[in-house]
Amino acid sequence: MPTTHANVSPEEIARFDKLADRWWDPDGESRPLHDLNPVRAAYVADRVALKGAKVADVGCGGGLLSEALAAAGAQVTGIDLGERVIGIARLHLYESNLAVDYRVQSSAELAATEPAGFDAVCCMEMIEHVPDPEALVNDLAAMLKPGGMLFMSTLNRTPVAFGAAILGAEFLMRMLPRGTHHYAQFLKPSELARLLRHAGLELEDVSGLGYNPLSRKAWLSRITAVNYLLCARKPA
Ligand code: SAH
């Protein structure tokens, strides 16, 4: 039987843990996440009544989205397997005066201990870093209450995404450390949609996430070729 930590790449966790100290620096390596955060938080807030909702943020990192959701009134559980990033996420609560339940925990553990426990589950910019995306999606589906909503964002596997996320961000602009992303692990929206369907979820929307790293502006778009956001519902 696989252990509950099987679906994790330790090199990936170590890579993010190294960035933990600078996670909340809007000009540090998490800069694109800072710039994308208001758009994706609004995407979630437009589809879920966040006040009092129980929300899981899976692969929460230093807690950018977790805090935005908590500020909107959600009761957020943020999980990540990076001990340092969770440490930073907890520390930042002293600055923001928000409450988030941060845990060093795998998606499999949360799905097993709180099945059907959440009104909404978010998993942003994380699935491209796990060895078994299908197992992750099954965990996320298991966390949702019937009628609950899943939100995910990730990078598409297209030449344009390779150009923007790897050549552009890692090599030309040196915005992200080299090796942050692996092209072969990017998922096309159709592939992710299939995983969602197999997990019993109904896809409700796929939107492109536009981003200009020079102006640092981000917006929803019809172009899903680089980064995209989607939401899916667990049937009631
Ligand atoms: N979701 C956050 C952080 C994205 S960075 C945001 O969008 O702002 C990716 C995060 O996924 C990192 O914090 C990393 O530690 C975490 N991660 C990668 N693989 C993981 C796994 N198998 N289980 C839990 N967290 C993982």
Side-chain angles (χ1 to χ4, degrees):
M1 216 175 90
T3 70
T4 48
H5 276 199
N7 191 15
V8 58
S9 150
E11 307 85 67
E12 294 279 352
I13 300 297
R15 189 174 300 119
F16 286 105
D17 259 355
K18 268 215 306 232
L19 308 178
D21 294 345
R22 294 183 301 280
W23 204 281
W24 281 89
D25 176 354
D27 298 316
E29 292 90 345
S30 304
R31 171 180 158 163
L33 297 177
H34 282 265
D35 296 342
L36 298 176
N37 206 44
V39 178
R40 55 195 198 173
Y43 184 88
V44 177
D46 282 349
R47 290 167 174 82
V48 174
L50 284 173
K51 226 174 180 54
K54 273 201 77 184
V55 179
D57 186 11
V58 176
C60 61
L64 296 176
L65 183 70
S66 299
E67 282 206 6
L69 300 173
Q75 203 185 314
V76 183
T77 302
I79 64 165
D80 201 290
L81 286 175
E83 293 188 10
R84 291 178 57 107
V85 294
I86 287 293
I88 289 296
R90 286 185 182 138
L91 263 183
H92 198 265
L93 295 175
Y94 290 98
E95 206 166 304
S96 60
N97 276 315
L98 291 165
V100 175
D101 178 8
Y102 286 119
R103 308 175 187 167
V104 178
Q105 199 177 42
S106 69
S107 59
E109 283 166 334
L110 186 58
T113 54
E114 295 184 50
F118 296 92
D119 300 294
V121 173
C122 299
C123 183
M124 307 286 191
E125 313 300 328
M126 184 240 187
I127 195 167
E128 69 274 21
H129 300 287
V130 307
D132 185 349
E134 183 176 4
L136 172 65
V137 169
N138 289 337
D139 292 340
L140 300 174
M143 290 172 203
L144 283 171
K145 293 181 187 174
M149 297 284 284
L150 173 65
F151 297 90
M152 299 185 77
S153 72
T154 191
L155 288 158
N156 199 345
R157 199 175 65 260
T158 63
V160 197
F162 180 79
I166 297 181
L167 287 182
E170 293 182 18
F171 287 83
L172 295 176
M173 293 189 65
R174 310 227 168 136
M175 194 160 61
L176 296 176
R178 283 187 195 179
T180 300
H181 287 117
H182 309 285
Y183 184 64
Q185 280 179 259
F186 293 180
L187 288 169
K188 297 191 171 174
S190 57
E191 295 165 342
L192 189 47
R194 190 178 323 121
L195 298 182
L196 296 168
R197 205 161 50 240
H198 287 170
L201 304 180
E202 291 165 0
L203 185 64
E204 292 206 341
D205 178 67
V206 182
S207 293
L209 199 46
Y211 178 48
N212 179 337
L214 300 174
S215 67
R216 305 191 60 172
K217 290 217 163 28
W219 60 92
L220 287 183
S221 132
R222 291 174 57 189
I223 300 165
T224 57
V226 180
N227 210 318
Y228 60 95
L229 262 172
L230 58 75
C231 72
R233 183 182 296 278
K234 185 168 187 170

